[in-house]
Every structure is written in structure tokens, then in C-alpha cells.
Amino acid sequence: MTDLCVRAATAADLDTVLAFWKTAAEGTSVSDDRDGVERLVARDRGALILAEQDGELVGTVIAGFDGWRCHLYRLAVHPGRRRRGIGSALLAAAEERFVRLGGRRGDAMVLTDNERAHHAWRAAGYAPEERWRRWVKPLAR
């Protein structure tokens, strides 16, 4: 993947990222809007990692570190570019970031029904943690 550019997103990338997720990402999030992604990039400039080929966005991952845990979200690769090492390159960049920041273990948010993603995460060395369940509560605005 010598022609792949992996870099942190900037504010100028946000509209492109949001449009990309509509094509490449599974599911939606309450934070899938300009304000949500803008806050992410403003708070942690290195958290949203992009992969580009020939100037085109082909993959994303959010590698959030809160000082305690390393969280991975929104690993998405363009449907026409999958199985070419882009996801692996994004995860390698995320894991390198975590190590630099002092992280000890990465965890990933993966939709239960997304079997394709399960295979990709397992191939990258991740495994489901059956002892835990994600609990959520929408916060009113």
C-alpha cells in the first residue's frame, strides 16, 4: 500500500467524511453530523484517522483515547476498495497512536449483525468480550 496516505483529519475534511460514512459505514450514530465530528476533531486532533488514495478518501477510523481506555469507532473502507489492506493500515495507525499515548488495550464498537466486520476484526487480532454489554442512555439537549 505504498500509494496510501494515512493521516489525521482536519476541519476541512469533515463534510467529505460525513458523506463517505453514508456510503462506507454500517449503521448510523447520533454523532454523525457536522457538530459531532467537529467537536471530536477540535477536542482530539489525532483521533479521526483517514486513508486516502490518489486524493480520494477510501477509509476512516476513530481512535479515541480518554487517558484510560483506547476506543475504536467508525472503521470504514470504501466498498470498492475493501480487502486491499486499507483497514489494516488504519488499525495499525490507530494502534500506534494508542501506544504513543500510553494505551494498553484497544476496544472496538462493532455492530452485532455486521458479520463482515466480525471477520475483519478477528483477522486484526480482536475478539468479542462476552462478559460485557454496552449500556447506553441518550442525553437530552
Side-chain angles (χ1 to χ4, degrees):
M1 294 251 75
T2 57
D3 61 338
L4 188 70
C5 173
V6 177
R7 65 174 179 84
T10 67
D13 297 310
L14 303 187
D15 291 329
T16 302
V17 168
L18 287 165
F20 176 79
W21 285 344
K22 289 180 181 176
T23 301
E26 296 288 329
T28 59
S29 167
V30 296
S31 301
D32 283 358
D33 59 25
R34 174 93 185 177
D35 288 342
V37 181
E38 203 166 61
R39 275 191 304 278
L40 169 68
V41 171
R43 182 182 177 281
D44 186 351
R45 286 188 196 112
L48 178 53
I49 301 170
L50 309 181
E52 298 173 320
Q53 280 183 321
D54 301 321
E56 178 187 353
L57 181 60
V58 295
T60 66
V61 69
I62 297 174
F65 181 63
D66 60 14
W68 180 259
R69 302 258 168 105
C70 306
H71 302 286
L72 295 159
Y73 311 92
R74 280 298 189 222
L75 176 62
V77 175
H78 186 283
R81 307 275 182 106
R82 291 181 179 154
R83 302 196 53 81
R84 298 182 190 179
I86 295 168
S88 296
L90 285 163
L91 285 178
E95 291 167 359
E96 289 168 14
R97 177 177 197 271
F98 291 152
V99 169
R100 277 194 319 273
L101 295 171
R104 298 180 182 170
R105 177 183 66 206
D107 67 60
M109 297 294 300
V110 183
L111 292 170
T112 305
D113 294 336
N114 190 345
E115 288 296 323
R116 182 181 313 145
H118 297 184
H119 295 294
W121 285 103
R122 279 191 180 91
Y126 290 78
E129 176 54 74
E130 301 300 337
R131 297 175 299 157
W132 298 334
R133 170 128 359 237
R134 182 175 181 218
W135 293 39
V136 298
K137 176 185 176 183
L139 302 176
R141 289 219 175 244

